[in-house]
Amino acid sequence: MTNPNLAALATAGTSAWLDDLSRQRLEGGELTALVDEYAVVGVTTNPAIFSSAMTTGDAYDGQLRELAGSGADAAETVFTMAIDDVRRACDELADVSARTGGADGRVSIEVDPRYADDYDATIAQARRLWERVGKANAMIKIPATDASLPAVSDALAEGISVNVTLIFSVERYRQVVDAFIAGIERARDNGLDLSTIHSVASFFVSRVDTEVDKRLEAIGGDALELRGKAGVANARLAYAEFEHAFAADSERWAPLAEAGAHVQRPLWASTGVKNPEYPDTLYVTELAGPHTVNTMPEKTLRATADADLDGISDTLTGRGEQARETMAAIAAAGVDLDDVFAVLEREGVEKFVDSWQELLDSIDGRLREIRG
């Protein structure tokens, strides 16, 4: 039986995706159980997730030996193993994809984070990953950096479904929406079936609170009353932008919708609370609403399932003005929000690059060990 809290979340319009994937989870049947019991309808991955998966336990040892024997280097080994996991997860979620018309049942795999500031490398690898995974319910994750945004449009124009990641500010989110619509317009002009192309915009939440709270604590006084409010307010402002951009009477979007295009759904990422004083479900119950996705680490997913909640309802629609007032109050208290978002984007890329490099170094060591 599906958990009632997660069923209520789905009824409110938010799809629950799992922010984790590993060979162990696939082979042990854990993903299937979460789909059946916790209403999980999608999976996201990132370099940190694969780093943890591939350096823990022995689930990858057999394939590592095979790849070592074939002469594969560390990067090719990591991507081959990751692609195999993503393909299997896509198969696990194929029924979900069919039932939801492709909106859910999605599994994301990210381009090499070291390419975040290299358009040519990003689009080339996005194409290769899409081809190598070879599953219609896959999604290619591309970061929302200045250099990679054109790759978002180009991938969509070629019919590649895209998860645009590392979005922290509303300003950046507007750019992502513009890149998405531009890509769908080109896909239409290229004669593609728009109904087969899907996209989400991964808007990070908890990291915003962590950075803003640190600055509010440095200011002190009445500013302390604003702690824990920036993450939700910032996301709600992005949702207000979503409502505007994809309104039925939008001159730019309406023709695409009539041609079969799907909206680019906001996906709430980084939804595990970092401050133990905040409720584990903060970024779930406060960000529920139509046409959204919440990708959760398993801890947050289970906390939501086990919480004593009086239902989950739409907490997004019509909340834009209140959210704007909250962010204005934080700025008035002395927090430089532009700097906050610049720091978070830079650190977001750096953290993924560090995790990826640690994984490559670890796998390189294993390959050398196997080859003797």
Side-chain angles (χ1 to χ4, degrees):
M1 296 293 291
T2 300
N3 177 271
N5 286 343
L6 291 161
L9 182 67
T11 299
T14 300
S15 296
W17 290 9
L18 177 69
D19 193 27
D20 189 48
L21 184 64
S22 67
R23 187 76 45 94
Q24 299 93 321
R25 190 181 289 281
L26 287 164
E27 294 181 344
E30 295 174 22
L31 178 58
T32 300
L34 292 175
V35 171
D36 293 341
E37 301 169 21
Y38 288 81
V40 167
V41 291
V43 172
T44 52
T45 68
N46 60 47
I49 285 171
F50 277 126
S51 181
S52 175
M54 293 180 186
T55 57
T56 304
D58 58 4
Y60 295 90
D61 285 0
Q63 192 172 17
L64 268 171
R65 286 191 291 270
E66 292 176 5
L67 290 165
S70 72
D73 63 14
E76 175 58 24
T77 297
V78 167
F79 269 116
T80 296
M81 295 193 299
I83 287 167
D84 284 355
D85 285 355
V86 168
R87 286 173 57 84
R88 289 180 63 177
C90 282
D91 288 342
E92 288 269 359
L93 291 165
D95 289 346
V96 174
S97 177
R99 186 177 71 245
T100 61
D104 289 314
R106 294 278 164 180
V107 185
S108 296
I109 183 169
E110 189 160 350
V111 299
D112 189 324
R114 296 173 299 178
Y115 299 160
D117 295 320
D118 186 335
Y119 159 79
D120 290 326
T122 293
I123 187 59
Q125 192 173 67
R127 290 167 176 150
R128 286 197 302 273
L129 287 174
W130 182 252
E131 182 178 359
R132 287 185 64 181
V133 174
K135 300 291 183 179
N137 56 327
M139 268 187 171
I140 307 303
K141 288 181 79 173
I142 298 175
T145 56
D146 287 328
S148 291
L149 278 175
V152 170
S153 297
D154 287 354
L156 290 163
E158 296 172 17
I160 299 172
S161 292
V162 176
N163 177 339
V164 190
T165 190
L166 287 175
I167 308 169
F168 294 96
S169 70
V170 175
E171 179 180 1
R172 180 65 83 185
Y173 175 67
R174 292 191 192 103
Q175 295 173 339
V176 169
V177 170
D178 186 66
F180 165 75
I181 293 177
I184 297 299
E185 288 172 337
R186 288 169 53 198
R188 176 197 58 195
D189 296 343
N190 290 338
L192 300 185
D193 180 357
L194 301 187
S195 69
T196 66
I197 307 171
H198 291 263
S199 182
V200 294
S202 292
F203 199 91
F204 282 53
V205 186
S206 68
R207 294 189 197 181
V208 174
D209 268 336
T210 299
E211 183 65 24
V212 169
D213 284 1
K214 178 177 67 177
R215 299 185 186 213
L216 291 170
E217 287 163 4
I219 295 167
D222 292 341
L224 298 178
E225 298 299 319
L226 294 167
R227 288 179 297 180
K229 298 183 183 300
V232 168
N234 194 45
R236 286 176 173 173
L237 276 181
Y239 188 78
E241 290 292 330
F242 163 79
E243 291 178 301
H244 174 72
F246 296 101
D249 60 354
S250 167
E251 290 186 8
R252 192 175 180 193
W253 176 249
L256 297 174
E258 290 174 5
H262 304 284
V263 300
Q264 181 187 55
R265 292 191 292 171
L267 179 150
W268 312 127
S270 182
T271 55
V273 295
K274 304 296 191 291
N275 188 333
E277 296 180 7
Y278 300 157
D280 287 336
T281 60
L282 175 63
Y283 305 124
V284 180
T285 58
E286 297 304 303
L287 295 174
H291 306 295
T292 60
V293 177
N294 193 312
T295 188
M296 310 178 214
E298 186 173 358
K299 179 182 177 182
T300 303
L301 182 72
R302 293 190 180 277
T304 302
D306 296 340
D308 183 13
L309 300 174
D310 186 19
I312 297 178
S313 58
D314 181 358
T315 50
L316 289 170
T317 304
R319 301 295 184 96
E321 188 55 39
Q322 182 185 42
R324 192 169 290 105
E325 291 173 0
T326 298
M327 296 304 285
I330 291 170
V335 175
D336 184 342
L337 291 172
D338 288 340
D339 185 65
V340 165
F341 299 135
V343 166
L344 288 172
E345 181 176 302
R346 183 175 66 252
E347 288 183 349
V349 172
E350 290 172 353
K351 287 177 181 178
F352 281 167
V353 168
D354 290 345
S355 293
W356 192 249
Q357 191 60 54
E358 288 173 8
L359 175 57
L360 292 178
D361 291 344
S362 176
I363 295 300
D364 183 63
R366 294 289 304 281
L367 292 172
R368 291 175 182 273
E369 179 183 332
I370 292 169
R371 289 168 181 153

